[in-house]
Amino acid sequence: MSNKNFAVLNSLNLINKKLGDSYEKKGFNPFSDNFALTSEGVEKLLQINLQKKYVKSPKFFEESEHALSARFKLASTRAEELLAKFQNLIDNGNASPKMLEELIYIKICTELLKGLNLKKLNYEELLEVIQTIYAMSPEYSFIFKRIFDKDFDIQIALTDFVKLCKITKTKKEIEKKEDLKSLVHREYTQKTFFEKPKQTKTKEREIER
């Protein structure tokens, strides 16, 4: 493709090579228009790759090729439906930074599932997709990985993603309050125990006597 954004291309390749291919062939880009790859971002993406090797294959990998192919095909269809509903939710409301972060995650997972060749199964490829989904965000994958379950409910998953946003926001608010309390307590302690009390002139005279 022309006019490549190398920040996007490099980021997608670091997450999973299949995503880089999707960007070059189809222009797949889950990021915002002003996306930039920082040193902190590179470190985070490299950390994701390190975490992948600790993700073991799920139990359903023991199923027959036909059953496994059908499971991934269904998961891909569900992922696209979930993405459409989540995108619609964001378009119709005020999207928080956390929701936009979740949207990027869902877009990436959906693209990974969409690009699989299920007619000719490659277990290493399937495992890498699972590893990427899990390692990319443990908190989001806790919800998304249910997409492979037979009793998966899209509406419940959608609700859980929204709830996760609110829980995270609440946690951050609590942490800020706790940090403020610690700061106030620390300043009070320093003033109380470490500041040398000023003596009045009267007390100075008494000492001289």
Side-chain angles (χ1 to χ4, degrees), residues 18 65 68-70 72-73 76 111-123 125-126 129:
K18 289 176 67 63
E65 285 194 9
L68 190 58
S69 176
F72 268 89
K73 185 177 180 180
S76 180
E111 185 65 25
L112 285 171
L113 291 170
K114 192 192 300 184
L116 290 171
N117 181 4
L118 298 176
K119 292 180 180 178
K120 188 177 180 181
L121 288 185
N122 181 326
Y123 281 85
E125 183 186 20
L126 296 183
V129 166

Side-chain angles (χ1 to χ4, degrees), residues 2-102:
S2 59
N3 300 321
K4 286 181 187 177
N5 183 327
F6 285 97
V8 173
L9 178 61
N10 292 334
S11 296
L12 292 176
N13 274 327
L14 282 171
I15 296 169
N16 190 298
K17 295 290 184 185
K18 289 176 67 63
L19 297 172
D21 289 342
S22 292
Y23 174 72
E24 293 197 282
K25 292 174 183 176
K26 301 184 295 181
F28 170 71
N29 180 6
F31 306 117
S32 61
D33 295 333
N34 59 349
F35 175 78
L37 184 58
T38 62
S39 56
E40 185 182 351
V42 171
E43 188 177 340
K44 185 177 179 182
L45 293 175
L46 290 173
Q47 190 62 34
I48 288 172
N49 273 307
L50 287 174
Q51 293 300 320
K52 283 183 185 179
K53 62 182 179 181
Y54 297 109
V55 178
K56 297 179 180 179
S57 59
K59 194 166 182 62
F60 62 76
F61 264 47
E62 298 173 7
E63 296 175 350
S64 66
E65 285 194 9
H66 176 74
L68 190 58
S69 176
R71 189 185 285 270
F72 268 89
K73 185 177 180 180
L74 181 58
S76 180
T77 302
R78 288 167 165 176
E80 290 194 52
E81 290 177 13
L82 176 62
L83 175 59
K85 286 182 179 292
F86 196 76
Q87 181 72 68
N88 187 57
L89 189 67
I90 287 175
D91 292 342
N92 292 332
N94 296 319
S96 67
K98 187 70 175 178
M99 287 186 77
L100 293 175
E101 190 179 275
E102 289 177 335

